[in-house]
Amino acid sequence: SGIRNGFTLLELLLSLALVGLLLVAMNQFIFSMGELWGRGVDVRLFEQHVRAVTRFVEQTLHSAAQPTAKGVQALAIQEIRLPDGPTGTLLTFELLAGSRVLPWPGTRLPDVVCALGVRQEKGLVLYWHSRLEQHFADEPPRAAVLTPLVTGLSYDYYNASFNSWQNLLTPQRDRNGQWQLPTRLR
């Protein structure tokens, strides 16, 4: 009349085998889920980047669209002398309080004149300089790359007479030869 106080060797081996199988199955499941999650990571990162840059440009243009104290048109198409020599016809605007993305030691500069353009090999570039700088009128603006992934910028114009949109690679002039602001940027 002996009472068993333990497990037999067979029971221990069977339980270890079951635990091992369970761990292998969980390991397989975790790695397969990791592979599934990682498959679209490049696409997701690209989409996040596009949304962030779009949101920044949209917010920057929206803040620049406020009327200026100097009576200057908030948004305009102008001929700008670029840092590498040539000139470009770009969308220009002013940021009265500056911007956090403009590289400047110390506090950000106010009264910043900006232009938005695309440069080959660089991407979407924000050209800028402050009216408070000593050589504002003499020197071309600095360039800050917003994203290297943009390869072109086009301008959408809405024609209310024909109820149609027109997409152009360069800004459009009106009948008087003045630059027209686009309705949308692409």
Side-chain angles (χ1 to χ4, degrees):
S1 68
I3 300 175
R4 274 183 31 185
N5 286 340
F7 297 104
T8 65
L9 182 60
L10 183 60
E11 291 171 333
L12 281 175
L13 288 175
L14 187 59
S15 65
L16 283 175
L18 288 174
V19 168
L21 286 173
L22 181 64
L23 289 175
V24 167
M26 286 186 61
N27 192 24
Q28 191 88 18
F29 174 75
I30 290 171
F31 280 119
S32 65
M33 291 306 290
E35 285 179 19
L36 284 174
W37 178 255
R39 277 190 188 146
V41 91
D42 291 342
V43 172
R44 281 194 302 277
L45 287 174
F46 176 76
E47 289 172 351
Q48 276 182 327
H49 178 78
V50 167
R51 278 193 300 272
V53 170
T54 302
R55 191 176 321 113
F56 170 78
V57 170
E58 185 178 287
Q59 289 171 349
T60 301
L61 291 176
H62 186 325
S63 68
Q66 307 306 318
T68 61
K70 299 174 183 78
V72 177
Q73 186 177 357
L75 298 171
I77 301 289
Q78 295 178 344
E79 198 73 26
I80 301 294
R81 183 172 51 134
L82 302 175
D84 52 3
T87 60
T89 306
L90 305 175
L91 178 67
T92 62
F93 52 93
E94 287 196 37
L95 299 175
L96 299 178
S99 175
R100 62 180 168 77
V101 301
L102 304 177
W104 189 260
T107 59
R108 57 185 176 192
L109 288 173
D111 290 329
V112 177
V113 177
C114 300
L116 195 60
V118 174
R119 299 302 291 172
Q120 211 167 19
E121 309 287 325
K122 289 188 179 183
L124 184 63
V125 178
L126 183 65
Y127 296 101
W128 68 278
H129 53 162
S130 173
R131 291 188 186 280
L132 301 180
E133 294 180 69
Q134 290 179 347
H135 303 288
F136 173 79
D138 305 329
E139 293 181 5
R142 292 171 191 77
V145 177
L146 297 179
T147 177
L149 303 177
V150 172
T151 58
L153 186 65
S154 64
Y155 306 88
D156 284 344
Y157 292 94
Y158 181 70
N159 186 335
S161 302
F162 294 107
N163 194 24
S164 65
W165 288 91
Q166 184 178 18
N167 180 265
L168 302 172
L169 295 175
T170 58
Q172 178 176 320
R173 292 184 185 264
D174 63 14
R175 291 185 179 128
N176 300 328
Q178 300 296 315
W179 292 110
Q180 271 187 304
L181 278 177
T183 309
R184 294 187 305 212
L185 293 175
R186 283 193 206 201

